[in-house]
Amino acid sequence: MPELPEVEALAADLRERAVGRVIGRADVAEFAVLKTYAPPLTALAGGTIVAAGRHGKFLDLSVEPAGGGPSLHLVTHLARAGWLRWRESLPEAPPRPGKGPLAFRLRFEDGSGFDLTEAGTRKRLAVYLVTDPALVPGVAALGPDPLDPAFTPEVLGGILAGRRTQIKGVLRDQKLIAGIGNAYSDEVLHAAKMSPFRLASSLTPEDVAALHGVIVATLNEAIARSDGLAAGDLKKEKKAGLRVHGRAGQPCPVCGDIVREVSFADSALQYCATCQTGGKPLADRRLSRLLK
């Protein structure tokens, strides 16, 4: 799943490629992808991309409409298996709805544009066209952005205080902290030398300050690695930069112990017992719903 660093990199790529271009048309190839109906997608035609940004894991393209009026925001959530693919040349004809991975297409008047695709059968990619990003329910519910200067150790401490929930689940909860998902929560906890099962409420002020520093550093390092990369290269870079996530059975790059895995109903976490749990393996609570 694209998380904060990848979505930030996609926004940066679109700031280079898309800002200033005039939209020719927007088309839906998977009917369920469009979550809003007013304004209609046709309102994008003739509009100019003026900015590209993000809100947590949501990508936000700001559009100045051709006829004036309030700015429009094309907001996308790529879900678990979605991706953005830039094309220098797209067909003039709209795509035909079908069973392939194509979900949405934005074509500019010069023929360039991008496709939003989603692999697999579980279609969760979402596109919204709104006049204010806060009108997207998922955006409105987001917790603080961990790269916002306002996200201080004190703010993190307030989020964790009294919360008898495993720290792994807290880091992944978008309503508490925006942008961190399964992969980077594993990376943060490994770098912080902290068990993913530790209760959030058990962290001392010193623990909170250290965790805050690791969160910010881990995300900034991932963004720095992606700096200047095109969208097509981001997935490969992300995988190469991860230390424990997705590396079960491989040696920990810090201590050499074997990276272990705990499986759940629809996900899994990876960790190093030597670095994070005092050498004690965690129980594999397969099918558990403790972490969502």
mmCIF file of all heavy atoms in Angstrom, residues 4-22 48-56 58-63 73-74 84 86 88 106 108 112-114 145 147 220 223-224 226-231 234:
data_model
loop_
_atom_site.group_PDB
_atom_site.id
_atom_site.type_symbol
_atom_site.label_atom_id
_atom_site.label_comp_id
_atom_site.label_asym_id
_atom_site.label_seq_id
_atom_site.Cartn_x
_atom_site.Cartn_y
_atom_site.Cartn_z
ATOM 1 N N LEU A 4 2.679 7.440 3.302
ATOM 2 C CA LEU A 4 3.040 8.856 3.237
ATOM 3 C C LEU A 4 4.238 9.140 2.334
ATOM 4 O O LEU A 4 4.151 10.020 1.469
ATOM 5 C CB LEU A 4 3.275 9.389 4.660
ATOM 6 C CG LEU A 4 3.533 10.874 4.841
ATOM 7 C CD1 LEU A 4 3.156 11.316 6.247
ATOM 8 C CD2 LEU A 4 4.986 11.263 4.566
ATOM 9 N N PRO A 5 5.375 8.446 2.472
ATOM 10 C CA PRO A 5 6.516 8.791 1.619
ATOM 11 C C PRO A 5 6.241 8.612 0.125
ATOM 12 O O PRO A 5 6.664 9.436 -0.689
ATOM 13 C CB PRO A 5 7.614 7.838 2.099
ATOM 14 C CG PRO A 5 7.247 7.529 3.510
ATOM 15 C CD PRO A 5 5.753 7.441 3.486
ATOM 16 N N GLU A 6 5.538 7.531 -0.244
ATOM 17 C CA GLU A 6 5.265 7.306 -1.664
ATOM 18 C C GLU A 6 4.259 8.316 -2.202
ATOM 19 O O GLU A 6 4.400 8.796 -3.332
ATOM 20 C CB GLU A 6 4.732 5.885 -1.891
ATOM 21 C CG GLU A 6 5.737 4.789 -1.609
ATOM 22 C CD GLU A 6 5.892 4.521 -0.135
ATOM 23 O OE1 GLU A 6 4.872 4.285 0.536
ATOM 24 O OE2 GLU A 6 7.044 4.564 0.352
ATOM 25 N N VAL A 7 3.233 8.639 -1.414
ATOM 26 C CA VAL A 7 2.253 9.618 -1.869
ATOM 27 C C VAL A 7 2.895 10.999 -1.974
ATOM 28 O O VAL A 7 2.610 11.768 -2.905
ATOM 29 C CB VAL A 7 1.025 9.640 -0.932
ATOM 30 C CG1 VAL A 7 0.017 10.692 -1.387
ATOM 31 C CG2 VAL A 7 0.356 8.268 -0.906
ATOM 32 N N GLU A 8 3.783 11.327 -1.042
ATOM 33 C CA GLU A 8 4.521 12.588 -1.137
ATOM 34 C C GLU A 8 5.369 12.602 -2.401
ATOM 35 O O GLU A 8 5.458 13.631 -3.094
ATOM 36 C CB GLU A 8 5.403 12.770 0.097
ATOM 37 C CG GLU A 8 6.211 14.057 0.103
ATOM 38 C CD GLU A 8 5.354 15.313 0.133
ATOM 39 O OE1 GLU A 8 4.286 15.304 0.784
ATOM 40 O OE2 GLU A 8 5.755 16.305 -0.510
ATOM 41 N N ALA A 9 6.011 11.492 -2.730
ATOM 42 C CA ALA A 9 6.824 11.413 -3.939
ATOM 43 C C ALA A 9 5.967 11.516 -5.199
ATOM 44 O O ALA A 9 6.365 12.147 -6.186
ATOM 45 C CB ALA A 9 7.629 10.117 -3.946
ATOM 46 N N LEU A 10 4.785 10.897 -5.182
ATOM 47 C CA LEU A 10 3.873 11.025 -6.317
ATOM 48 C C LEU A 10 3.437 12.474 -6.492
ATOM 49 O O LEU A 10 3.368 12.988 -7.619
ATOM 50 C CB LEU A 10 2.646 10.131 -6.121
ATOM 51 C CG LEU A 10 2.853 8.634 -6.296
ATOM 52 C CD1 LEU A 10 1.581 7.876 -5.913
ATOM 53 C CD2 LEU A 10 3.254 8.299 -7.727
ATOM 54 N N ALA A 11 3.139 13.153 -5.385
ATOM 55 C CA ALA A 11 2.760 14.562 -5.457
ATOM 56 C C ALA A 11 3.897 15.396 -6.033
ATOM 57 O O ALA A 11 3.680 16.285 -6.873
ATOM 58 C CB ALA A 11 2.362 15.073 -4.073
ATOM 59 N N ALA A 12 5.127 15.114 -5.608
ATOM 60 C CA ALA A 12 6.279 15.843 -6.130
ATOM 61 C C ALA A 12 6.454 15.595 -7.623
ATOM 62 O O ALA A 12 6.760 16.521 -8.400
ATOM 63 C CB ALA A 12 7.542 15.437 -5.374
ATOM 64 N N ASP A 13 6.258 14.348 -8.045
ATOM 65 C CA ASP A 13 6.369 14.014 -9.463
ATOM 66 C C ASP A 13 5.314 14.759 -10.278
ATOM 67 O O ASP A 13 5.598 15.293 -11.363
ATOM 68 C CB ASP A 13 6.219 12.506 -9.637
ATOM 69 C CG ASP A 13 6.562 12.043 -11.044
ATOM 70 O OD1 ASP A 13 7.550 12.528 -11.618
ATOM 71 O OD2 ASP A 13 5.831 11.187 -11.580
ATOM 72 N N LEU A 14 4.093 14.833 -9.747
ATOM 73 C CA LEU A 14 3.028 15.532 -10.457
ATOM 74 C C LEU A 14 3.225 17.043 -10.448
ATOM 75 O O LEU A 14 2.786 17.741 -11.367
ATOM 76 C CB LEU A 14 1.666 15.164 -9.863
ATOM 77 C CG LEU A 14 1.212 13.724 -10.145
ATOM 78 C CD1 LEU A 14 -0.072 13.415 -9.400
ATOM 79 C CD2 LEU A 14 1.022 13.494 -11.647
ATOM 80 N N ARG A 15 3.879 17.553 -9.418
ATOM 81 C CA ARG A 15 4.195 18.991 -9.433
ATOM 82 C C ARG A 15 5.126 19.314 -10.600
ATOM 83 O O ARG A 15 5.044 20.389 -11.196
ATOM 84 C CB ARG A 15 4.828 19.410 -8.110
ATOM 85 C CG ARG A 15 3.823 19.560 -6.979
ATOM 86 C CD ARG A 15 4.407 20.270 -5.777
ATOM 87 N NE ARG A 15 5.328 19.430 -5.020
ATOM 88 C CZ ARG A 15 4.959 18.632 -4.024
ATOM 89 N NH1 ARG A 15 3.675 18.542 -3.684
ATOM 90 N NH2 ARG A 15 5.842 17.899 -3.375
ATOM 91 N N GLU A 16 6.004 18.371 -10.926
ATOM 92 C CA GLU A 16 6.914 18.571 -12.052
ATOM 93 C C GLU A 16 6.218 18.333 -13.390
ATOM 94 O O GLU A 16 6.441 19.065 -14.357
ATOM 95 C CB GLU A 16 8.107 17.620 -11.924
ATOM 96 C CG GLU A 16 9.027 17.923 -10.754
ATOM 97 C CD GLU A 16 9.782 19.229 -10.953
ATOM 98 O OE1 GLU A 16 10.127 19.550 -12.110
ATOM 99 O OE2 GLU A 16 10.019 19.926 -9.948
ATOM 100 N N ARG A 17 5.383 17.316 -13.457
ATOM 101 C CA ARG A 17 4.812 16.901 -14.741
ATOM 102 C C ARG A 17 3.479 17.559 -15.078
ATOM 103 O O ARG A 17 3.206 17.869 -16.245
ATOM 104 C CB ARG A 17 4.605 15.382 -14.747
ATOM 105 C CG ARG A 17 5.870 14.544 -14.649
ATOM 106 C CD ARG A 17 5.486 13.080 -14.645
ATOM 107 N NE ARG A 17 6.587 12.179 -14.455
ATOM 108 C CZ ARG A 17 7.307 11.643 -15.453
ATOM 109 N NH1 ARG A 17 7.031 11.952 -16.690
ATOM 110 N NH2 ARG A 17 8.309 10.798 -15.191
ATOM 111 N N ALA A 18 2.615 17.713 -14.064
ATOM 112 C CA ALA A 18 1.219 18.056 -14.343
ATOM 113 C C ALA A 18 0.855 19.515 -14.109
ATOM 114 O O ALA A 18 -0.047 20.038 -14.781
ATOM 115 C CB ALA A 18 0.296 17.165 -13.501
ATOM 116 N N VAL A 19 1.508 20.176 -13.148
ATOM 117 C CA VAL A 19 1.128 21.559 -12.847
ATOM 118 C C VAL A 19 1.331 22.433 -14.087
ATOM 119 O O VAL A 19 2.373 22.380 -14.742
ATOM 120 C CB VAL A 19 1.938 22.095 -11.652
ATOM 121 C CG1 VAL A 19 1.759 23.610 -11.515
ATOM 122 C CG2 VAL A 19 1.503 21.404 -10.367
ATOM 123 N N GLY A 20 0.308 23.192 -14.397
ATOM 124 C CA GLY A 20 0.328 24.053 -15.578
ATOM 125 C C GLY A 20 -0.329 23.442 -16.795
ATOM 126 O O GLY A 20 -0.620 24.154 -17.771
ATOM 127 N N ARG A 21 -0.588 22.147 -16.770
ATOM 128 C CA ARG A 21 -1.236 21.505 -17.910
ATOM 129 C C ARG A 21 -2.749 21.681 -17.839
ATOM 130 O O ARG A 21 -3.337 21.751 -16.756
ATOM 131 C CB ARG A 21 -0.883 20.018 -17.972
ATOM 132 C CG ARG A 21 0.605 19.747 -18.244
ATOM 133 C CD ARG A 21 0.835 18.264 -18.437
ATOM 134 N NE ARG A 21 2.240 17.920 -18.420
ATOM 135 C CZ ARG A 21 2.959 17.608 -19.497
ATOM 136 N NH1 ARG A 21 2.385 17.628 -20.689
ATOM 137 N NH2 ARG A 21 4.235 17.293 -19.397
ATOM 138 N N VAL A 22 -3.360 21.694 -19.009
ATOM 139 C CA VAL A 22 -4.809 21.870 -19.123
ATOM 140 C C VAL A 22 -5.461 20.512 -19.348
ATOM 141 O O VAL A 22 -5.016 19.725 -20.194
ATOM 142 C CB VAL A 22 -5.154 22.826 -20.288
ATOM 143 C CG1 VAL A 22 -6.669 22.957 -20.443
ATOM 144 C CG2 VAL A 22 -4.521 24.193 -20.053
ATOM 145 N N THR A 48 -7.080 23.881 -15.295
ATOM 146 C CA THR A 48 -5.618 23.837 -15.238
ATOM 147 C C THR A 48 -5.165 23.325 -13.878
ATOM 148 O O THR A 48 -5.658 23.779 -12.839
ATOM 149 C CB THR A 48 -5.021 25.229 -15.465
ATOM 150 O OG1 THR A 48 -5.462 25.735 -16.727
ATOM 151 C CG2 THR A 48 -3.497 25.192 -15.433
ATOM 152 N N ILE A 49 -4.243 22.378 -13.885
ATOM 153 C CA ILE A 49 -3.660 21.894 -12.630
ATOM 154 C C ILE A 49 -2.776 23.001 -12.056
ATOM 155 O O ILE A 49 -1.858 23.487 -12.723
ATOM 156 C CB ILE A 49 -2.812 20.625 -12.848
ATOM 157 C CG1 ILE A 49 -3.634 19.522 -13.526
ATOM 158 C CG2 ILE A 49 -2.238 20.139 -11.508
ATOM 159 C CD1 ILE A 49 -4.723 18.924 -12.688
ATOM 160 N N VAL A 50 -3.044 23.416 -10.824
ATOM 161 C CA VAL A 50 -2.279 24.514 -10.224
ATOM 162 C C VAL A 50 -1.441 24.060 -9.028
ATOM 163 O O VAL A 50 -0.542 24.787 -8.594
ATOM 164 C CB VAL A 50 -3.216 25.677 -9.795
ATOM 165 C CG1 VAL A 50 -3.849 26.306 -11.024
ATOM 166 C CG2 VAL A 50 -4.288 25.199 -8.815
ATOM 167 N N ALA A 51 -1.704 22.876 -8.495
ATOM 168 C CA ALA A 51 -0.926 22.393 -7.357
ATOM 169 C C ALA A 51 -1.147 20.897 -7.194
ATOM 170 O O ALA A 51 -2.161 20.349 -7.643
ATOM 171 C CB ALA A 51 -1.312 23.117 -6.072
ATOM 172 N N ALA A 52 -0.168 20.252 -6.555
ATOM 173 C CA ALA A 52 -0.278 18.834 -6.218
ATOM 174 C C ALA A 52 0.235 18.651 -4.796
ATOM 175 O O ALA A 52 1.324 19.121 -4.464
ATOM 176 C CB ALA A 52 0.528 17.969 -7.188
ATOM 177 N N GLY A 53 -0.559 18.008 -3.962
ATOM 178 C CA GLY A 53 -0.168 17.806 -2.568
ATOM 179 C C GLY A 53 -0.775 16.535 -2.039
ATOM 180 O O GLY A 53 -1.257 15.688 -2.797
ATOM 181 N N ARG A 54 -0.758 16.400 -0.729
ATOM 182 C CA ARG A 54 -1.318 15.200 -0.118
ATOM 183 C C ARG A 54 -1.895 15.541 1.236
ATOM 184 O O ARG A 54 -1.559 16.548 1.856
ATOM 185 C CB ARG A 54 -0.258 14.104 0.026
ATOM 186 C CG ARG A 54 0.826 14.458 0.992
ATOM 187 C CD ARG A 54 1.662 13.296 1.488
ATOM 188 N NE ARG A 54 2.617 13.811 2.467
ATOM 189 C CZ ARG A 54 2.330 13.993 3.749
ATOM 190 N NH1 ARG A 54 1.146 13.658 4.219
ATOM 191 N NH2 ARG A 54 3.229 14.491 4.568
ATOM 192 N N HIS A 55 -2.755 14.648 1.710
ATOM 193 C CA HIS A 55 -3.312 14.673 3.062
ATOM 194 C C HIS A 55 -3.181 13.244 3.570
ATOM 195 O O HIS A 55 -3.941 12.363 3.153
ATOM 196 C CB HIS A 55 -4.779 15.117 3.054
ATOM 197 C CG HIS A 55 -5.034 16.342 2.232
ATOM 198 N ND1 HIS A 55 -4.809 17.609 2.708
ATOM 199 C CD2 HIS A 55 -5.461 16.476 0.949
ATOM 200 C CE1 HIS A 55 -5.107 18.476 1.759
ATOM 201 N NE2 HIS A 55 -5.506 17.811 0.678
ATOM 202 N N GLY A 56 -2.216 12.972 4.433
ATOM 203 C CA GLY A 56 -1.957 11.599 4.827
ATOM 204 C C GLY A 56 -1.620 10.773 3.605
ATOM 205 O O GLY A 56 -0.681 11.079 2.872
ATOM 206 N N PHE A 58 -3.760 10.433 1.083
ATOM 207 C CA PHE A 58 -4.599 10.932 -0.003
ATOM 208 C C PHE A 58 -3.792 11.882 -0.888
ATOM 209 O O PHE A 58 -3.148 12.807 -0.397
ATOM 210 C CB PHE A 58 -5.813 11.683 0.546
ATOM 211 C CG PHE A 58 -6.844 10.821 1.215
ATOM 212 C CD1 PHE A 58 -6.700 10.439 2.539
ATOM 213 C CD2 PHE A 58 -7.971 10.395 0.523
ATOM 214 C CE1 PHE A 58 -7.659 9.653 3.174
ATOM 215 C CE2 PHE A 58 -8.936 9.609 1.143
ATOM 216 C CZ PHE A 58 -8.779 9.232 2.468
ATOM 217 N N LEU A 59 -3.859 11.671 -2.192
ATOM 218 C CA LEU A 59 -3.230 12.547 -3.166
ATOM 219 C C LEU A 59 -4.248 13.606 -3.588
ATOM 220 O O LEU A 59 -5.413 13.293 -3.827
ATOM 221 C CB LEU A 59 -2.790 11.728 -4.373
ATOM 222 C CG LEU A 59 -2.024 12.421 -5.486
ATOM 223 C CD1 LEU A 59 -0.674 12.937 -4.988
ATOM 224 C CD2 LEU A 59 -1.819 11.454 -6.659
ATOM 225 N N ASP A 60 -3.803 14.869 -3.701
ATOM 226 C CA ASP A 60 -4.717 15.976 -3.964
ATOM 227 C C ASP A 60 -4.177 16.832 -5.107
ATOM 228 O O ASP A 60 -3.122 17.447 -4.993
ATOM 229 C CB ASP A 60 -4.863 16.827 -2.688
ATOM 230 C CG ASP A 60 -5.801 18.017 -2.877
ATOM 231 O OD1 ASP A 60 -6.411 18.153 -3.955
ATOM 232 O OD2 ASP A 60 -5.916 18.822 -1.926
ATOM 233 N N LEU A 61 -4.916 16.867 -6.230
ATOM 234 C CA LEU A 61 -4.598 17.747 -7.340
ATOM 235 C C LEU A 61 -5.567 18.925 -7.324
ATOM 236 O O LEU A 61 -6.792 18.733 -7.383
ATOM 237 C CB LEU A 61 -4.719 17.014 -8.674
ATOM 238 C CG LEU A 61 -3.612 16.022 -9.028
ATOM 239 C CD1 LEU A 61 -3.927 15.353 -10.363
ATOM 240 C CD2 LEU A 61 -2.266 16.712 -9.085
ATOM 241 N N SER A 62 -5.037 20.132 -7.232
ATOM 242 C CA SER A 62 -5.862 21.338 -7.235
ATOM 243 C C SER A 62 -6.035 21.814 -8.666
ATOM 244 O O SER A 62 -5.060 21.917 -9.420
ATOM 245 C CB SER A 62 -5.218 22.443 -6.390
ATOM 246 O OG SER A 62 -5.045 22.019 -5.059
ATOM 247 N N VAL A 63 -7.269 22.134 -9.028
ATOM 248 C CA VAL A 63 -7.604 22.495 -10.408
ATOM 249 C C VAL A 63 -8.311 23.848 -10.427
ATOM 250 O O VAL A 63 -9.272 24.067 -9.684
ATOM 251 C CB VAL A 63 -8.515 21.424 -11.050
ATOM 252 C CG1 VAL A 63 -8.833 21.796 -12.495
ATOM 253 C CG2 VAL A 63 -7.859 20.046 -10.977
ATOM 254 N N HIS A 73 -10.807 20.052 -6.411
ATOM 255 C CA HIS A 73 -9.770 19.164 -5.893
ATOM 256 C C HIS A 73 -10.083 17.745 -6.331
ATOM 257 O O HIS A 73 -11.139 17.196 -5.982
ATOM 258 C CB HIS A 73 -9.701 19.245 -4.370
ATOM 259 C CG HIS A 73 -9.201 20.558 -3.869
ATOM 260 N ND1 HIS A 73 -7.880 20.782 -3.561
ATOM 261 C CD2 HIS A 73 -9.858 21.733 -3.664
ATOM 262 C CE1 HIS A 73 -7.743 22.033 -3.163
ATOM 263 N NE2 HIS A 73 -8.912 22.631 -3.218
ATOM 264 N N LEU A 74 -9.164 17.177 -7.096
ATOM 265 C CA LEU A 74 -9.264 15.775 -7.494
ATOM 266 C C LEU A 74 -8.443 14.986 -6.480
ATOM 267 O O LEU A 74 -7.213 15.014 -6.493
ATOM 268 C CB LEU A 74 -8.729 15.574 -8.910
ATOM 269 C CG LEU A 74 -8.874 14.173 -9.494
ATOM 270 C CD1 LEU A 74 -10.348 13.809 -9.678
ATOM 271 C CD2 LEU A 74 -8.125 14.069 -10.823
ATOM 272 N N LEU A 84 -0.395 5.049 -9.562
ATOM 273 C CA LEU A 84 -0.524 6.084 -10.590
ATOM 274 C C LEU A 84 0.552 5.850 -11.639
ATOM 275 O O LEU A 84 1.729 5.713 -11.309
ATOM 276 C CB LEU A 84 -0.373 7.468 -9.963
ATOM 277 C CG LEU A 84 -0.557 8.680 -10.881
ATOM 278 C CD1 LEU A 84 -1.121 9.862 -10.077
ATOM 279 C CD2 LEU A 84 0.739 9.103 -11.553
ATOM 280 N N TRP A 86 2.065 7.487 -15.098
ATOM 281 C CA TRP A 86 2.128 8.624 -16.011
ATOM 282 C C TRP A 86 2.346 8.125 -17.444
ATOM 283 O O TRP A 86 3.115 7.197 -17.677
ATOM 284 C CB TRP A 86 3.252 9.573 -15.610
ATOM 285 C CG TRP A 86 3.353 10.751 -16.540
ATOM 286 C CD1 TRP A 86 4.138 10.870 -17.635
ATOM 287 C CD2 TRP A 86 2.607 11.967 -16.438
ATOM 288 N NE1 TRP A 86 3.945 12.086 -18.227
ATOM 289 C CE2 TRP A 86 3.009 12.781 -17.525
ATOM 290 C CE3 TRP A 86 1.650 12.448 -15.538
ATOM 291 C CZ2 TRP A 86 2.480 14.065 -17.734
ATOM 292 C CZ3 TRP A 86 1.129 13.709 -15.742
ATOM 293 C CH2 TRP A 86 1.533 14.498 -16.827
ATOM 294 N N GLU A 88 3.094 9.726 -21.451
ATOM 295 C CA GLU A 88 3.351 10.888 -22.291
ATOM 296 C C GLU A 88 2.350 10.988 -23.430
ATOM 297 O O GLU A 88 2.149 12.054 -24.000
ATOM 298 C CB GLU A 88 4.778 10.836 -22.853
ATOM 299 C CG GLU A 88 5.853 11.075 -21.806
ATOM 300 C CD GLU A 88 5.755 12.457 -21.166
ATOM 301 O OE1 GLU A 88 5.214 13.384 -21.807
ATOM 302 O OE2 GLU A 88 6.214 12.593 -20.016
ATOM 303 N N LEU A 106 -6.915 10.441 -16.425
ATOM 304 C CA LEU A 106 -6.938 11.891 -16.598
ATOM 305 C C LEU A 106 -6.029 12.215 -17.779
ATOM 306 O O LEU A 106 -4.823 11.938 -17.741
ATOM 307 C CB LEU A 106 -6.450 12.615 -15.345
ATOM 308 C CG LEU A 106 -6.660 14.133 -15.359
ATOM 309 C CD1 LEU A 106 -8.145 14.462 -15.187
ATOM 310 C CD2 LEU A 106 -5.867 14.819 -14.253
ATOM 311 N N PHE A 108 -4.619 15.141 -20.489
ATOM 312 C CA PHE A 108 -4.455 16.564 -20.720
ATOM 313 C C PHE A 108 -4.613 16.872 -22.203
ATOM 314 O O PHE A 108 -4.556 15.981 -23.056
ATOM 315 C CB PHE A 108 -3.083 17.026 -20.207
ATOM 316 C CG PHE A 108 -2.926 16.849 -18.731
ATOM 317 C CD1 PHE A 108 -2.057 15.896 -18.221
ATOM 318 C CD2 PHE A 108 -3.661 17.606 -17.834
ATOM 319 C CE1 PHE A 108 -1.916 15.708 -16.847
ATOM 320 C CE2 PHE A 108 -3.540 17.436 -16.469
ATOM 321 C CZ PHE A 108 -2.669 16.488 -15.975
ATOM 322 N N SER A 112 -0.783 14.010 -22.962
ATOM 323 C CA SER A 112 -0.192 13.324 -21.812
ATOM 324 C C SER A 112 -1.244 13.125 -20.725
ATOM 325 O O SER A 112 -2.381 13.598 -20.850
ATOM 326 C CB SER A 112 0.988 14.128 -21.268
ATOM 327 O OG SER A 112 0.526 15.367 -20.727
ATOM 328 N N GLY A 113 -0.851 12.456 -19.661
ATOM 329 C CA GLY A 113 -1.790 12.261 -18.560
ATOM 330 C C GLY A 113 -1.385 11.079 -17.712
ATOM 331 O O GLY A 113 -0.255 10.602 -17.776
ATOM 332 N N PHE A 114 -2.322 10.588 -16.922
ATOM 333 C CA PHE A 114 -2.006 9.440 -16.079
ATOM 334 C C PHE A 114 -3.213 8.532 -15.926
ATOM 335 O O PHE A 114 -4.363 8.950 -16.033
ATOM 336 C CB PHE A 114 -1.475 9.864 -14.703
ATOM 337 C CG PHE A 114 -2.430 10.678 -13.861
ATOM 338 C CD1 PHE A 114 -3.447 10.062 -13.130
ATOM 339 C CD2 PHE A 114 -2.302 12.057 -13.781
ATOM 340 C CE1 PHE A 114 -4.317 10.798 -12.349
ATOM 341 C CE2 PHE A 114 -3.162 12.806 -12.995
ATOM 342 C CZ PHE A 114 -4.176 12.173 -12.270
ATOM 343 N N ASP A 145 -0.564 15.218 10.824
ATOM 344 C CA ASP A 145 0.459 14.728 9.913
ATOM 345 C C ASP A 145 1.784 14.676 10.651
ATOM 346 O O ASP A 145 2.210 15.677 11.235
ATOM 347 C CB ASP A 145 0.572 15.668 8.706
ATOM 348 C CG ASP A 145 1.423 15.076 7.604
ATOM 349 O OD1 ASP A 145 2.638 14.894 7.823
ATOM 350 O OD2 ASP A 145 0.879 14.790 6.522
ATOM 351 N N LEU A 147 4.740 14.852 9.705
ATOM 352 C CA LEU A 147 5.786 15.739 9.196
ATOM 353 C C LEU A 147 5.418 17.215 9.337
ATOM 354 O O LEU A 147 6.187 18.082 8.926
ATOM 355 C CB LEU A 147 6.101 15.407 7.734
ATOM 356 C CG LEU A 147 6.674 14.011 7.507
ATOM 357 C CD1 LEU A 147 7.086 13.837 6.053
ATOM 358 C CD2 LEU A 147 7.857 13.735 8.432
ATOM 359 N N ASN A 220 11.151 11.008 6.748
ATOM 360 C CA ASN A 220 11.964 11.941 5.966
ATOM 361 C C ASN A 220 13.038 11.214 5.165
ATOM 362 O O ASN A 220 13.337 11.587 4.025
ATOM 363 C CB ASN A 220 12.609 12.987 6.878
ATOM 364 C CG ASN A 220 11.686 14.152 7.163
ATOM 365 O OD1 ASN A 220 10.932 14.587 6.287
ATOM 366 N ND2 ASN A 220 11.726 14.672 8.374
ATOM 367 N N ILE A 223 11.361 9.700 2.134
ATOM 368 C CA ILE A 223 11.074 10.736 1.137
ATOM 369 C C ILE A 223 12.345 11.147 0.416
ATOM 370 O O ILE A 223 12.366 11.316 -0.811
ATOM 371 C CB ILE A 223 10.404 11.949 1.813
ATOM 372 C CG1 ILE A 223 8.988 11.578 2.272
ATOM 373 C CG2 ILE A 223 10.352 13.140 0.856
ATOM 374 C CD1 ILE A 223 8.320 12.646 3.109
ATOM 375 N N ALA A 224 13.437 11.285 1.157
ATOM 376 C CA ALA A 224 14.714 11.683 0.549
ATOM 377 C C ALA A 224 15.185 10.643 -0.465
ATOM 378 O O ALA A 224 15.733 10.990 -1.521
ATOM 379 C CB ALA A 224 15.766 11.898 1.637
ATOM 380 N N SER A 226 13.371 8.881 -2.291
ATOM 381 C CA SER A 226 12.493 8.941 -3.460
ATOM 382 C C SER A 226 12.626 10.250 -4.229
ATOM 383 O O SER A 226 11.999 10.403 -5.283
ATOM 384 C CB SER A 226 11.028 8.769 -3.021
ATOM 385 O OG SER A 226 10.834 7.534 -2.372
ATOM 386 N N ASP A 227 13.408 11.164 -3.722
ATOM 387 C CA ASP A 227 13.521 12.483 -4.338
ATOM 388 C C ASP A 227 13.994 12.375 -5.781
ATOM 389 O O ASP A 227 15.022 11.759 -6.075
ATOM 390 C CB ASP A 227 14.504 13.351 -3.542
ATOM 391 C CG ASP A 227 14.547 14.784 -4.053
ATOM 392 O OD1 ASP A 227 13.496 15.288 -4.478
ATOM 393 O OD2 ASP A 227 15.639 15.387 -4.042
ATOM 394 N N GLY A 228 13.211 12.952 -6.681
ATOM 395 C CA GLY A 228 13.584 12.961 -8.090
ATOM 396 C C GLY A 228 13.195 11.730 -8.870
ATOM 397 O O GLY A 228 13.365 11.697 -10.095
ATOM 398 N N LEU A 229 12.662 10.711 -8.199
ATOM 399 C CA LEU A 229 12.267 9.493 -8.908
ATOM 400 C C LEU A 229 10.910 9.661 -9.579
ATOM 401 O O LEU A 229 10.010 10.310 -9.041
ATOM 402 C CB LEU A 229 12.204 8.302 -7.950
ATOM 403 C CG LEU A 229 13.524 7.823 -7.345
ATOM 404 C CD1 LEU A 229 13.261 6.622 -6.441
ATOM 405 C CD2 LEU A 229 14.526 7.471 -8.423
ATOM 406 N N ALA A 230 10.769 9.086 -10.742
ATOM 407 C CA ALA A 230 9.473 9.065 -11.414
ATOM 408 C C ALA A 230 8.569 8.051 -10.724
ATOM 409 O O ALA A 230 9.032 7.152 -10.017
ATOM 410 C CB ALA A 230 9.653 8.706 -12.883
ATOM 411 N N ALA A 231 7.263 8.201 -10.957
ATOM 412 C CA ALA A 231 6.287 7.324 -10.301
ATOM 413 C C ALA A 231 6.586 5.859 -10.542
ATOM 414 O O ALA A 231 6.429 5.029 -9.644
ATOM 415 C CB ALA A 231 4.880 7.671 -10.794
ATOM 416 N N LEU A 234 9.109 4.234 -7.964
ATOM 417 C CA LEU A 234 8.932 4.396 -6.518
ATOM 418 C C LEU A 234 8.740 3.070 -5.793
ATOM 419 O O LEU A 234 9.254 2.876 -4.691
ATOM 420 C CB LEU A 234 7.750 5.321 -6.236
ATOM 421 C CG LEU A 234 7.966 6.785 -6.611
ATOM 422 C CD1 LEU A 234 6.670 7.579 -6.428
ATOM 423 C CD2 LEU A 234 9.078 7.404 -5.771
#
